Amino acid sequence: MELVEAIKTRRSIRQFKPDPVPEELIKEVIETALWAPSGMNTQPWKVIVVSGEKRNEFNATIQKAVNHINERLKRLFPEKMQKRIHGYFKDLGGAPHIIVVVVAKNDNIKQQETEIQAGSALMQNLCLVAHDKGLGTCWMSAPLWIEDEVMDFLGMKNEWKLVAVTPLGYPDQNPPVPPRKGDPIIWIK
Ligand SMILES: Cc1cc2nc3c(=O)[nH]c(=O)nc-3n(C[C@H](O)[C@H](O)[C@H](O)COP(=O)(O)O)c2cc1C
């Protein structure tokens, strides 16, 4: 798929087929995503793939994050949509795998911001490459609300910081295209 087409047609997928993705394909997606840029080429990241029994346990942890975004959901969405979002968190759309991007913890806030930017570049690459391979993802920051629990589950609480989580699997939906906002470009000449 051509890059511009991949960027424009990638969607957040919230409904998946149950079929597991072959490990070789997951590896290929991640290894390509790892070509993301990073500050001073530090490559400060790890990518964790959670599958099988552990996937269900991990989902049960992530599900708790929805309680922290409830107030915002109520403000932004009608009741039907709120229910749908709760349902999504419950099972992550049935995705067979959950992928987590983390970066090295850093007491220096500016360096930590740089590392999070690198982790985010990696996550965007991952979403695009997965899309190119016919796989679906949904970048999720909501688990940040329960970061300690998430990192505890992974056994990585002390040295690693959570960037984002995504389910991974074969899409079982073709979501509508959410509109993009007007013109955020500011030209300074
Ligand atoms: C930083 C970031 C955080 C997000 N967090 C969540 C999330 O916690 N839960 C969720 O369902 N979607 C989440 N999304 C997906 C957005 O809702 C989605 O990208 C947006 O609605 C545009 O839709 P599209 O990705 O299909 O173009 C997140 C996306 C980004 C980039």
Side-chain angles (χ1 to χ4, degrees), residues 108-154:
N108 182 306
I109 195 161
K110 289 297 163 202
Q111 278 174 24
Q112 186 75 94
E113 281 172 10
T114 300
E115 281 141 7
I116 292 168
Q117 286 183 28
S120 303
L122 166 54
M123 185 53 122
Q124 175 68 353
N125 270 3
L126 196 149
C127 294
L128 289 173
V129 182
H131 175 50
D132 182 56
K133 302 285 181 195
L135 300 170
T137 57
C138 180
W139 183 323
M140 294 175 73
S141 65
L144 284 171
W145 288 98
I146 51 161
E147 181 169 4
D148 277 357
E149 268 185 83
V150 169
M151 298 309 280
D152 235 359
F153 181 93
L154 301 172

Tab-separated table of all heavy atoms in Angstrom, residues 108-154:
chain	number	residue	atom	x	y	z
A	108	ASN	N	14.390	13.060	34.592
A	108	ASN	CA	14.471	14.345	33.891
A	108	ASN	C	13.248	14.485	32.980
A	108	ASN	O	13.074	13.732	32.025
A	108	ASN	CB	15.763	14.383	33.065
A	108	ASN	CG	15.915	15.708	32.348
A	108	ASN	OD1	15.020	16.147	31.627
A	108	ASN	ND2	17.046	16.344	32.562
A	109	ILE	N	12.391	15.470	33.305
A	109	ILE	CA	11.084	15.560	32.643
A	109	ILE	C	11.213	15.845	31.143
A	109	ILE	O	10.441	15.314	30.331
A	109	ILE	CB	10.177	16.582	33.365
A	109	ILE	CG1	8.738	16.397	32.908
A	109	ILE	CG2	10.615	17.993	33.164
A	109	ILE	CD1	7.711	16.992	33.837
A	110	LYS	N	12.195	16.656	30.763
A	110	LYS	CA	12.377	16.959	29.333
A	110	LYS	C	12.831	15.717	28.575
A	110	LYS	O	12.354	15.426	27.475
A	110	LYS	CB	13.393	18.098	29.142
A	110	LYS	CG	12.866	19.441	29.587
A	110	LYS	CD	11.661	19.873	28.740
A	110	LYS	CE	10.895	20.964	29.412
A	110	LYS	NZ	9.514	21.070	28.951
A	111	GLN	N	13.771	14.977	29.187
A	111	GLN	CA	14.212	13.736	28.530
A	111	GLN	C	13.067	12.732	28.448
A	111	GLN	O	12.888	12.039	27.460
A	111	GLN	CB	15.389	13.134	29.288
A	111	GLN	CG	16.711	13.789	28.910
A	111	GLN	CD	17.869	13.303	29.764
A	111	GLN	OE1	17.828	12.221	30.321
A	111	GLN	NE2	18.888	14.125	29.874
A	112	GLN	N	12.252	12.694	29.521
A	112	GLN	CA	11.122	11.757	29.515
A	112	GLN	C	10.129	12.114	28.411
A	112	GLN	O	9.610	11.240	27.722
A	112	GLN	CB	10.421	11.763	30.883
A	112	GLN	CG	9.332	10.721	30.990
A	112	GLN	CD	9.864	9.295	31.161
A	112	GLN	OE1	10.004	8.803	32.242
A	112	GLN	NE2	10.149	8.643	30.061
A	113	GLU	N	9.912	13.424	28.229
A	113	GLU	CA	9.003	13.843	27.139
A	113	GLU	C	9.540	13.386	25.791
A	113	GLU	O	8.789	12.926	24.930
A	113	GLU	CB	8.843	15.370	27.143
A	113	GLU	CG	7.866	15.857	28.202
A	113	GLU	CD	7.862	17.374	28.338
A	113	GLU	OE1	8.460	18.074	27.493
A	113	GLU	OE2	7.259	17.870	29.307
A	114	THR	N	10.845	13.530	25.613
A	114	THR	CA	11.471	13.108	24.345
A	114	THR	C	11.283	11.609	24.142
A	114	THR	O	10.983	11.140	23.038
A	114	THR	CB	12.969	13.475	24.352
A	114	THR	OG1	13.076	14.887	24.513
A	114	THR	CG2	13.649	13.077	23.053
A	115	GLU	N	11.458	10.856	25.210
A	115	GLU	CA	11.299	9.399	25.103
A	115	GLU	C	9.854	9.023	24.785
A	115	GLU	O	9.594	8.115	23.989
A	115	GLU	CB	11.778	8.736	26.402
A	115	GLU	CG	13.291	8.636	26.425
A	115	GLU	CD	13.923	8.894	27.779
A	115	GLU	OE1	13.186	9.034	28.771
A	115	GLU	OE2	15.172	8.959	27.826
A	116	ILE	N	8.924	9.747	25.391
A	116	ILE	CA	7.506	9.459	25.090
A	116	ILE	C	7.200	9.787	23.615
A	116	ILE	O	6.451	9.065	22.955
A	116	ILE	CB	6.577	10.232	26.055
A	116	ILE	CG1	6.734	9.666	27.472
A	116	ILE	CG2	5.117	10.139	25.610
A	116	ILE	CD1	6.111	10.500	28.558
A	117	GLN	N	7.814	10.859	23.121
A	117	GLN	CA	7.619	11.187	21.697
A	117	GLN	C	8.134	10.051	20.814
A	117	GLN	O	7.509	9.673	19.822
A	117	GLN	CB	8.335	12.492	21.342
A	117	GLN	CG	7.624	13.725	21.891
A	117	GLN	CD	8.304	15.015	21.476
A	117	GLN	OE1	8.945	15.087	20.431
A	117	GLN	NE2	8.157	16.044	22.297
A	118	ALA	N	9.287	9.502	21.174
A	118	ALA	CA	9.858	8.387	20.396
A	118	ALA	C	8.915	7.177	20.457
A	118	ALA	O	8.628	6.543	19.432
A	118	ALA	CB	11.237	8.023	20.942
A	119	GLY	N	8.416	6.895	21.657
A	119	GLY	CA	7.481	5.768	21.815
A	119	GLY	C	6.212	5.987	20.997
A	119	GLY	O	5.644	5.045	20.432
A	120	SER	N	5.786	7.251	20.906
A	120	SER	CA	4.575	7.559	20.132
A	120	SER	C	4.830	7.387	18.638
A	120	SER	O	3.958	6.898	17.904
A	120	SER	CB	4.118	9.001	20.401
A	120	SER	OG	3.903	9.182	21.785
A	121	ALA	N	6.032	7.772	18.186
A	121	ALA	CA	6.392	7.576	16.769
A	121	ALA	C	6.369	6.078	16.453
A	121	ALA	O	5.864	5.657	15.407
A	121	ALA	CB	7.769	8.163	16.491
A	122	LEU	N	6.883	5.292	17.389
A	122	LEU	CA	6.875	3.833	17.205
A	122	LEU	C	5.438	3.309	17.125
A	122	LEU	O	5.095	2.491	16.258
A	122	LEU	CB	7.634	3.187	18.377
A	122	LEU	CG	7.508	1.693	18.623
A	122	LEU	CD1	7.834	0.878	17.394
A	122	LEU	CD2	8.419	1.277	19.751
A	123	MET	N	4.581	3.816	18.003
A	123	MET	CA	3.189	3.355	18.012
A	123	MET	C	2.482	3.725	16.710
A	123	MET	O	1.742	2.910	16.142
A	123	MET	CB	2.452	3.962	19.218
A	123	MET	CG	1.049	3.466	19.388
A	123	MET	SD	0.978	1.656	19.433
A	123	MET	CE	0.217	1.367	20.987
A	124	GLN	N	2.723	4.927	16.203
A	124	GLN	CA	2.085	5.322	14.939
A	124	GLN	C	2.581	4.441	13.797
A	124	GLN	O	1.791	3.991	12.963
A	124	GLN	CB	2.348	6.811	14.648
A	124	GLN	CG	1.836	7.297	13.298
A	124	GLN	CD	0.305	7.324	13.182
A	124	GLN	OE1	-0.410	6.861	14.082
A	124	GLN	NE2	-0.210	7.846	12.095
A	125	ASN	N	3.906	4.196	13.758
A	125	ASN	CA	4.451	3.272	12.747
A	125	ASN	C	3.745	1.932	12.826
A	125	ASN	O	3.331	1.356	11.821
A	125	ASN	CB	5.945	3.030	12.996
A	125	ASN	CG	6.816	4.028	12.271
A	125	ASN	OD1	6.320	4.931	11.626
A	125	ASN	ND2	8.124	3.861	12.392
A	126	LEU	N	3.611	1.442	14.062
A	126	LEU	CA	3.013	0.120	14.271
A	126	LEU	C	1.578	0.070	13.736
A	126	LEU	O	1.185	-0.884	13.055
A	126	LEU	CB	3.062	-0.196	15.767
A	126	LEU	CG	2.858	-1.632	16.196
A	126	LEU	CD1	3.655	-1.909	17.461
A	126	LEU	CD2	1.399	-1.939	16.449
A	127	CYS	N	0.813	1.130	14.022
A	127	CYS	CA	-0.579	1.168	13.547
A	127	CYS	C	-0.619	1.168	12.015
A	127	CYS	O	-1.461	0.501	11.405
A	127	CYS	CB	-1.300	2.405	14.090
A	127	CYS	SG	-1.524	2.383	15.882
A	128	LEU	N	0.308	1.917	11.402
A	128	LEU	CA	0.307	2.010	9.933
A	128	LEU	C	0.774	0.710	9.281
A	128	LEU	O	0.166	0.241	8.312
A	128	LEU	CB	1.197	3.178	9.477
A	128	LEU	CG	0.649	4.575	9.747
A	128	LEU	CD1	1.681	5.645	9.411
A	128	LEU	CD2	-0.638	4.817	8.961
A	129	VAL	N	1.832	0.114	9.816
A	129	VAL	CA	2.330	-1.138	9.226
A	129	VAL	C	1.282	-2.245	9.403
A	129	VAL	O	1.022	-3.019	8.480
A	129	VAL	CB	3.671	-1.580	9.868
A	129	VAL	CG1	4.168	-2.856	9.202
A	129	VAL	CG2	4.723	-0.499	9.724
A	130	ALA	N	0.670	-2.297	10.576
A	130	ALA	CA	-0.374	-3.307	10.811
A	130	ALA	C	-1.474	-3.145	9.760
A	130	ALA	O	-1.913	-4.119	9.143
A	130	ALA	CB	-0.943	-3.148	12.220
A	131	HIS	N	-1.893	-1.912	9.535
A	131	HIS	CA	-2.932	-1.622	8.536
A	131	HIS	C	-2.486	-2.114	7.161
A	131	HIS	O	-3.254	-2.746	6.423
A	131	HIS	CB	-3.204	-0.120	8.552
A	131	HIS	CG	-4.157	0.339	7.502
A	131	HIS	ND1	-5.386	-0.261	7.289
A	131	HIS	CD2	-4.070	1.341	6.591
A	131	HIS	CE1	-5.999	0.356	6.295
A	131	HIS	NE2	-5.219	1.322	5.855
A	132	ASP	N	-1.233	-1.839	6.821
A	132	ASP	CA	-0.689	-2.266	5.521
A	132	ASP	C	-0.754	-3.791	5.374
A	132	ASP	O	-0.904	-4.314	4.267
A	132	ASP	CB	0.771	-1.792	5.414
A	132	ASP	CG	1.385	-2.157	4.082
A	132	ASP	OD1	0.816	-1.769	3.047
A	132	ASP	OD2	2.418	-2.851	4.067
A	133	LYS	N	-0.648	-4.511	6.505
A	133	LYS	CA	-0.657	-5.982	6.473
A	133	LYS	C	-2.062	-6.553	6.670
A	133	LYS	O	-2.237	-7.746	6.930
A	133	LYS	CB	0.253	-6.543	7.582
A	133	LYS	CG	1.680	-6.072	7.508
A	133	LYS	CD	2.425	-6.772	6.400
A	133	LYS	CE	3.877	-6.316	6.338
A	133	LYS	NZ	4.518	-6.713	5.076
A	134	GLY	N	-3.080	-5.674	6.636
A	134	GLY	CA	-4.454	-6.160	6.776
A	134	GLY	C	-4.876	-6.387	8.219
A	134	GLY	O	-5.873	-7.064	8.489
A	135	LEU	N	-4.113	-5.806	9.158
A	135	LEU	CA	-4.434	-5.964	10.587
A	135	LEU	C	-5.025	-4.668	11.137
A	135	LEU	O	-4.812	-3.588	10.571
A	135	LEU	CB	-3.165	-6.321	11.365
A	135	LEU	CG	-2.484	-7.623	10.939
A	135	LEU	CD1	-1.111	-7.752	11.596
A	135	LEU	CD2	-3.361	-8.826	11.300
A	136	GLY	N	-5.744	-4.789	12.252
A	136	GLY	CA	-6.361	-3.617	12.872
A	136	GLY	C	-5.714	-3.302	14.209
A	136	GLY	O	-5.234	-4.189	14.924
A	137	THR	N	-5.717	-2.003	14.544
A	137	THR	CA	-5.214	-1.524	15.837
A	137	THR	C	-6.141	-0.422	16.340
A	137	THR	O	-6.927	0.125	15.558
A	137	THR	CB	-3.796	-0.911	15.699
A	137	THR	OG1	-3.860	0.142	14.724
A	137	THR	CG2	-2.765	-1.950	15.271
A	138	CYS	N	-6.034	-0.096	17.604
A	138	CYS	CA	-6.711	1.092	18.140
A	138	CYS	C	-5.820	1.666	19.242
A	138	CYS	O	-5.792	1.132	20.357
A	138	CYS	CB	-8.097	0.743	18.692
A	138	CYS	SG	-8.971	2.173	19.369
A	139	TRP	N	-5.094	2.689	18.903
A	139	TRP	CA	-4.194	3.368	19.862
A	139	TRP	C	-5.015	3.756	21.091
A	139	TRP	O	-6.030	4.441	20.969
A	139	TRP	CB	-3.626	4.595	19.181
A	139	TRP	CG	-2.629	5.408	19.926
A	139	TRP	CD1	-2.597	5.682	21.256
A	139	TRP	CD2	-1.507	6.071	19.353
A	139	TRP	NE1	-1.527	6.474	21.549
A	139	TRP	CE2	-0.847	6.729	20.399
A	139	TRP	CE3	-0.994	6.198	18.055
A	139	TRP	CZ2	0.305	7.499	20.195
A	139	TRP	CZ3	0.141	6.968	17.849
A	139	TRP	CH2	0.779	7.604	18.910
A	140	MET	N	-4.579	3.349	22.262
A	140	MET	CA	-5.333	3.665	23.491
A	140	MET	C	-4.424	4.301	24.540
A	140	MET	O	-3.428	3.702	24.947
A	140	MET	CB	-5.943	2.389	24.084
A	140	MET	CG	-6.998	1.756	23.213
A	140	MET	SD	-7.543	0.194	23.925
A	140	MET	CE	-8.531	0.781	25.308
A	141	SER	N	-4.840	5.508	24.984
A	141	SER	CA	-4.102	6.129	26.090
A	141	SER	C	-4.855	5.980	27.403
A	141	SER	O	-4.298	6.249	28.467
A	141	SER	CB	-3.835	7.615	25.793
A	141	SER	OG	-5.068	8.298	25.734
A	142	ALA	N	-6.117	5.541	27.344
A	142	ALA	CA	-6.910	5.428	28.587
A	142	ALA	C	-6.203	4.582	29.660
A	142	ALA	O	-6.294	4.904	30.854
A	142	ALA	CB	-8.297	4.866	28.269
A	143	PRO	N	-5.474	3.524	29.282
A	143	PRO	CA	-4.789	2.733	30.323
A	143	PRO	C	-3.792	3.541	31.150
A	143	PRO	O	-3.369	3.098	32.220
A	143	PRO	CB	-4.077	1.629	29.510
A	143	PRO	CG	-4.930	1.455	28.295
A	143	PRO	CD	-5.377	2.848	27.956
A	144	LEU	N	-3.431	4.751	30.669
A	144	LEU	CA	-2.533	5.596	31.477
A	144	LEU	C	-3.147	5.940	32.825
A	144	LEU	O	-2.443	6.203	33.797
A	144	LEU	CB	-2.219	6.897	30.718
A	144	LEU	CG	-1.213	6.792	29.561
A	144	LEU	CD1	-1.186	8.090	28.780
A	144	LEU	CD2	0.176	6.463	30.085
A	145	TRP	N	-4.487	5.951	32.870
A	145	TRP	CA	-5.167	6.281	34.129
A	145	TRP	C	-4.873	5.246	35.198
A	145	TRP	O	-5.007	5.519	36.393
A	145	TRP	CB	-6.681	6.377	33.907
A	145	TRP	CG	-7.065	7.601	33.142
A	145	TRP	CD1	-7.320	7.693	31.813
A	145	TRP	CD2	-7.219	8.929	33.667
A	145	TRP	NE1	-7.624	8.985	31.468
A	145	TRP	CE2	-7.580	9.760	32.588
A	145	TRP	CE3	-7.096	9.481	34.945
A	145	TRP	CZ2	-7.805	11.122	32.742
A	145	TRP	CZ3	-7.336	10.843	35.100
A	145	TRP	CH2	-7.687	11.646	34.014
A	146	ILE	N	-4.561	4.033	34.762
A	146	ILE	CA	-4.244	2.970	35.733
A	146	ILE	C	-2.841	2.419	35.429
A	146	ILE	O	-2.604	1.221	35.463
A	146	ILE	CB	-5.309	1.851	35.704
A	146	ILE	CG1	-5.536	1.367	34.262
A	146	ILE	CG2	-6.619	2.310	36.324
A	146	ILE	CD1	-6.184	-0.001	34.204
A	147	GLU	N	-1.950	3.370	35.134
A	147	GLU	CA	-0.595	3.004	34.705
A	147	GLU	C	0.084	2.044	35.695
A	147	GLU	O	0.704	1.062	35.269
A	147	GLU	CB	0.242	4.278	34.556
A	147	GLU	CG	1.646	3.991	34.083
A	147	GLU	CD	2.416	5.247	33.673
A	147	GLU	OE1	1.878	6.360	33.824
A	147	GLU	OE2	3.548	5.084	33.212
A	148	ASP	N	-0.036	2.327	36.988
A	148	ASP	CA	0.650	1.473	37.973
A	148	ASP	C	0.184	0.033	37.867
A	148	ASP	O	0.987	-0.900	37.889
A	148	ASP	CB	0.390	1.982	39.401
A	148	ASP	CG	1.346	3.111	39.741
A	148	ASP	OD1	2.216	3.417	38.892
A	148	ASP	OD2	1.218	3.683	40.837
A	149	GLU	N	-1.149	-0.140	37.739
A	149	GLU	CA	-1.693	-1.507	37.647
A	149	GLU	C	-1.229	-2.205	36.374
A	149	GLU	O	-0.887	-3.391	36.392
A	149	GLU	CB	-3.228	-1.456	37.640
A	149	GLU	CG	-3.827	-1.571	39.029
A	149	GLU	CD	-5.331	-1.640	38.957
A	149	GLU	OE1	-5.860	-2.727	38.741
A	149	GLU	OE2	-5.963	-0.574	39.125
A	150	VAL	N	-1.234	-1.436	35.268
A	150	VAL	CA	-0.824	-2.005	33.980
A	150	VAL	C	0.640	-2.450	34.056
A	150	VAL	O	0.998	-3.571	33.676
A	150	VAL	CB	-1.014	-0.969	32.834
A	150	VAL	CG1	-0.357	-1.437	31.543
A	150	VAL	CG2	-2.507	-0.715	32.605
A	151	MET	N	1.496	-1.567	34.593
A	151	MET	CA	2.924	-1.876	34.634
A	151	MET	C	3.227	-2.972	35.644
A	151	MET	O	4.146	-3.765	35.462
A	151	MET	CB	3.735	-0.597	34.928
A	151	MET	CG	3.585	0.469	33.856
A	151	MET	SD	3.889	-0.166	32.181
A	151	MET	CE	5.663	-0.168	32.144
A	152	ASP	N	2.428	-3.010	36.699
A	152	ASP	CA	2.529	-4.098	37.690
A	152	ASP	C	2.253	-5.437	37.020
A	152	ASP	O	2.965	-6.411	37.210
A	152	ASP	CB	1.461	-3.874	38.773
A	152	ASP	CG	2.104	-3.831	40.151
A	152	ASP	OD1	3.325	-3.986	40.220
A	152	ASP	OD2	1.357	-3.629	41.133
A	153	PHE	N	1.172	-5.459	36.233
A	153	PHE	CA	0.781	-6.683	35.526
A	153	PHE	C	1.945	-7.180	34.656
A	153	PHE	O	2.221	-8.377	34.585
A	153	PHE	CB	-0.445	-6.438	34.647
A	153	PHE	CG	-0.904	-7.669	33.912
A	153	PHE	CD1	-1.888	-8.496	34.453
A	153	PHE	CD2	-0.339	-8.029	32.694
A	153	PHE	CE1	-2.290	-9.656	33.783
A	153	PHE	CE2	-0.735	-9.175	32.019
A	153	PHE	CZ	-1.718	-9.986	32.564
A	154	LEU	N	2.618	-6.227	34.007
A	154	LEU	CA	3.703	-6.593	33.092
A	154	LEU	C	5.014	-6.872	33.834
A	154	LEU	O	5.984	-7.338	33.232
A	154	LEU	CB	3.930	-5.469	32.067
A	154	LEU	CG	2.721	-5.107	31.188
A	154	LEU	CD1	3.013	-3.856	30.371
A	154	LEU	CD2	2.370	-6.270	30.250
